[in-house]
Amino acid sequence: MKPVVETEHLSKWYGNVLGLSDVSLQIEPGITGILGPNGAGKSTFLKLILGQLKPNIGTCAIKGEMIRNNYALFSNIGFCPEQDAFYDELTGWQFMIGLLKLHHFSSSEIEIRARKALEIVELIEDKDRIIKSYSRGMRQRLKFAQAIAHDPEIIILDEPLNGLDPLGRRKVIRLIKSYKGEGRTILVSSHVLPEIEAMTKRIILIHQGKIFAQGDIHYIRDLIDTHPHIVSIKCSDPRQLASKFIQEDFVLNVNFSSTEGTLLVKTNNRDKFFGILPSLFVKYDIDVEEITSPDDNLQAVFDYLVGK
Amino acid sequence: MGQESRGRVSFFLNSLKDVFTFFFSMGKKSKKMKVFFLIGVLPVVVALIIKLNQFFSNRTPIRGIYIFDNMTIAIYLQFLILILALFYGTSVCSEEVEGKTLTYLTTRPVSKSAVIIGKYAAYTSLIIILTSIGVILSFLVLNVNDLLDFSLYKILLRDVAVLSLGLMCYTAFFTFVGTIMKKSILFGLVFSFGWENVIQYFPGSTQRFAIIHYLKSLLPVPQTGRFSFLMFRLEPSSALFSIFMIFLITGVFLGLACLLFSWKEYIFED
C-alpha cells in the first residue's frame, strides 16, 4: 500500500530542548496510534506533519507533497488540535459554518456539511448554544466535528480523548472507528495505551523525541505483560490476602501501604494475578473497596524498557 | 496573465472574502466590539454636554462646526483611532496565538496571507464603521442648528475619510507589530502616545516619520482657537503625497505582516 505520510530524518529542537529526533517513517491508510508519555514528542510530530512547525532537519511529505505553506493540501486534511481552544463567543453552529466557509463550499453545501458533522457527533440539538456553555465532552466532539466536516481523506487527532469522562471516551472512540473506512488515513495520539488499543492495532511508540517502536499493538502489550507490575488492593482483610499471595510464584513481593487496609502486590504475570484474585476474595470472604494499578501507565513501561 | 495565475488570483480573492466574512460576522457580535462601541460613543456624549451647556448658558455660542473640527483632531485623530487600531490591529495575529485558535485557520485551504489580509480587512471595516457612527452623531449633535447648511457635510465627509485612512494605516502597522512581537500592546502604547505624539511636533522633515503627519496634512490648519496647538509646527505635505504615503505605509506593513506570518512558527504556551 502506498504511504500517505512520509518523513525522513525529521528532527526538531526548541532552543536546547529536543522535540523530535531523526524520525523516518511511513504511514499507510487506516488508523495509526501515536503513543507516548506526556512530553514525548507526539504533538511536535503531528505539528511537523501538518506544517505548523518547521523541521530543523529532515523532510515531511503528505501524498508526496511537502506540507509547509502548501495550503491546497488542507482540503484533504482534518485536524483536531489538542488544546481546548475555541472562538468561545460563537455558537457551535456558527463555529462550524465559519470554518467550513474557509473550504470555499457554497452556502447550501456548508449548511449540509455542518449539519451532518454535528449530527455525527450528536451535537445537533445543542448547535445554537454558545461554545462557552458546552461541557468538556461536547467541546471535544465539536473539535472532532470541525475536523471531519469537509470529509477529508486524512484525519489527524491530537489527544482527542483528553479530559473526557468514560462515556464521552466511548462515544469519541466509536466515532473515530466509524471513520476509518473508505481508505481514510487517521492518526491519533494518546498517552493512554488502552485508549489507542480500543481504536487500532497499529501503533508508533514515541519516547523522548525518538521512535521507540513501531508496529502491532501486541508488541507493546507483551512488553507491558513482562514488566513487573504493582497492584494496590484496598480490602477488609489485607493480611489474609497477603499470606495467600506470598505463596504464589508470580508474586515478586507484598507490602502494606501506609493507607489503612491497603495491600501492594508486585507481580510479573498480570494475567495469572488477575485470574486468581476474584477466587481469593470469594474463598476468604474478603470485601473489596478498590483495586488500582499505580504504575499501569506508559511512563512506567518506558522507564522499565529504557532501564531506569 | 496566464490561466494558472488568474486561477491563483481568484482563489486568493475567494479566500480573502471567506476569511473577511468569518471575522466580520464574528467581530461585530464580540464583547470587544461592544466595549469599543461604548468608548466610540463617548465623544457623542461630550458633544451632547457641550450643546446642552450652550443651550442653558447665556454666553454667545461657539459655532458647532468649529467644535466638531477640534473634536476630530483632539479626540478622534490623536486618541480614539490610535486605541482602536492598536487593539484591533495587534489582535489580528496575537488573539489567535494567545487563544490557541490559530491551527483552525492554518489547517484550512487558505493561504496565510489571505488569513492576515482578510482578518485585517474585517477588523478595519468594523472600526471604520464604529468610528464613523460616532463622528456622524457628534456632527449632527454639534450642528443641530445648521443641518440645512450643506457645505458643512463636505467637512464631515473629509473628516470621516481622513479618520478612515488613519484607521487603515495604523491598523496595518499594528497588525505587523502583533505578528512580530508578543508584548505588542505595550509597544503599541509607547508608539501611539510616545512616538506619534512627539515626532509630529519636530520641525523640518523629522515629522514625516510619524503617520499622523500625513493625516494632519489632509486637514486644514486652524490658526487660532483652543486646539490650534495640536497643529503647532505642522509643516504639511501635499494632499496627494500624504495619501500616497498612507497607502504605501499600509501596503508595506501588511506585506511584511503576511511574509512574517507565513515564515514564522507560532508555539502555544501552556
Side-chain angles (χ1 to χ4, degrees), chain B:
Chain B
M1 199 190 286
Q3 205 167 358
E4 197 185 330
S5 309
R6 252 177 297 166
R8 272 189 195 172
V9 171
S10 109
F11 185 78
F12 180 77
L13 291 176
N14 265 339
S15 303
L16 214 62
K17 187 194 81 192
D18 293 333
V19 175
F20 176 88
T21 320
F22 180 45
F23 284 103
F24 188 84
S25 64
M26 187 160 70
K28 72 182 178 201
K29 293 175 214 150
S30 67
K31 273 188 190 159
K32 190 161 93 174
M33 180 49 72
K34 286 168 193 158
V35 171
F36 280 109
F37 183 78
L38 287 179
I39 296 171
V41 295
L42 277 182
V44 183
V45 177
V46 173
L48 260 175
I49 292 168
I50 292 170
K51 207 66 199 168
L52 286 173
N53 187 40
Q54 280 185 352
F55 187 73
F56 289 110
S57 71
N58 294 324
R59 279 183 287 173
T60 321
I62 305 167
R63 276 200 78 196
I65 197 66
Y66 169 79
I67 302 171
F68 175 74
D69 260 347
N70 285 308
M71 199 181 224
T72 300
I73 297 171
I75 299 180
Y76 285 103
L77 195 64
Q78 301 253 124
F79 177 72
L80 202 64
I81 65 162
L82 284 164
I83 290 289
L84 285 170
L86 171 61
F87 280 93
Y88 276 91
T90 52
S91 70
V92 167
C93 177
S94 65
E95 75 181 2
E96 300 295 337
V97 177
E98 283 162 22
K100 299 177 183 176
T101 47
L102 184 66
T103 40
Y104 290 124
L105 304 176
T106 52
T107 55
R108 307 283 149 188
V110 289
S111 71
K112 288 181 178 172
S113 301
V115 170
I116 286 287
I117 298 175
K119 196 172 173 188
Y120 157 82
Y123 280 3
T124 305
S125 308
L126 283 170
I127 55 180
I128 285 177
I129 293 169
L130 190 154
T131 309
S132 302
I133 291 171
V135 173
I136 292 167
L137 288 177
S138 304
F139 173 85
L140 294 175
V141 169
L142 289 168
N143 296 290
V144 71
N145 304 324
D146 302 311
L147 288 179
L148 291 176
D149 182 353
F150 293 106
S151 64
L152 296 184
Y153 291 97
K154 270 189 194 168
I155 298 170
L156 172 68
L157 275 178
R158 181 203 62 204
D159 286 4
V160 168
V162 170
L163 293 173
S164 301
L165 285 174
L167 284 166
M168 179 188 86
C169 192
Y170 280 123
T171 310
F173 174 73
F174 289 126
T175 297
F176 167 71
V177 172
T179 312
I180 201 169
M181 60 173 69
K182 276 185 184 168
K183 306 264 183 216
S184 48
I185 293 282
L186 191 68
F187 173 84
L189 286 171
V190 173
F191 172 81
S192 302
F193 301 108
W195 178 269
E196 284 289 280
N197 264 330
V198 174
I199 291 293
Q200 60 169 315
Y201 298 120
F202 276 39
S205 309
T206 316
Q207 56 183 262
R208 288 180 174 78
F209 288 102
I211 296 170
I212 203 161
H213 165 83
Y214 301 105
L215 297 170
K216 281 188 172 177
S217 295
L218 296 171
L219 295 170
V221 183
Q223 300 303 320
T224 54
R226 197 171 293 171
F227 293 101
S228 61
F229 73 92
L230 293 172
M231 293 293 202
F232 173 67
R233 282 192 185 280
L234 179 71
E235 296 173 27
S237 303
S238 73
L240 207 65
F241 180 71
S242 298
I243 292 172
F244 169 76
M245 283 305 291
I246 287 166
F247 276 101
L248 181 72
I249 295 166
T250 305
V252 166
F253 282 112
L254 264 188
L256 286 174
C258 291
L259 274 178
L260 206 73
F261 188 66
S262 305
W263 170 78
K264 201 175 164 185
E265 53 184 27
Y266 293 92
I267 295 163
F268 301 141
E269 286 173 8
D270 287 326

Side-chain angles (χ1 to χ4, degrees), chain A residues 55-198:
Chain A
N56 293 97
I57 300 175
T59 56
C60 173
I62 289 195
K63 297 183 98 178
E65 288 187 54
M66 292 300 147
I67 181 86
R68 192 157 164 84
N69 286 334
N70 188 352
Y71 49 88
L73 271 178
F74 287 105
S75 301
N76 252 329
I77 300 173
F79 177 53
C80 172
E82 179 189 13
Q83 55 275 359
D84 182 41
F86 293 90
Y87 299 106
D88 275 335
E89 291 176 4
L90 297 181
T91 64
W93 179 253
Q94 289 166 337
F95 178 71
M96 292 296 295
I97 296 284
L99 293 182
L100 275 168
K101 261 186 196 152
L102 302 182
H103 284 273
H104 321 298
F105 295 123
S106 65
S107 301
S108 56
E109 199 175 351
I110 286 173
E111 291 208 3
I112 293 167
R113 282 176 183 270
R115 186 171 293 279
K116 190 179 164 196
L118 288 172
E119 274 168 0
I120 288 171
V121 300
E122 296 172 22
L123 279 178
I124 196 74
E125 304 277 305
D126 301 287
K127 72 180 174 68
D128 295 322
R129 276 173 56 189
I130 60 164
I131 300 172
K132 212 185 274 181
S133 71
Y134 280 12
S135 68
R136 181 72 195 260
M138 291 163 88
R139 291 160 75 94
Q140 204 73 4
R141 280 184 280 144
L142 184 62
K143 275 199 286 181
F144 187 78
Q146 64 78 33
I148 60 165
H150 53 289
D151 204 16
E153 213 176 298
I154 302 160
I155 303 173
I156 297 175
L157 311 163
D158 196 358
E159 301 271 4
L161 306 177
N162 248 5
L164 290 181
D165 56 38
L167 193 67
R169 272 172 205 220
R170 280 233 312 266
K171 273 185 184 173
V172 175
I173 288 172
R174 203 180 59 222
L175 278 173
I176 295 169
K177 284 172 82 172
S178 72
Y179 248 77
K180 76 174 170 186
E182 301 162 37
R184 284 198 179 89
T185 305
I186 304 177
L187 273 170
V188 197
S189 79
S190 176
H191 60 279
V192 183
L193 176 64
E195 286 180 1
I196 291 287
E197 207 172 11

Side-chain angles (χ1 to χ4, degrees), chain A residues 229-232 270 274 291-297:
Chain A
H229 196 84
I230 295 171
V231 181
S232 164
R270 281 158 43 109
F274 283 112
I291 302 174
T292 56
S293 298
D295 65 350
D296 188 11
N297 59 57

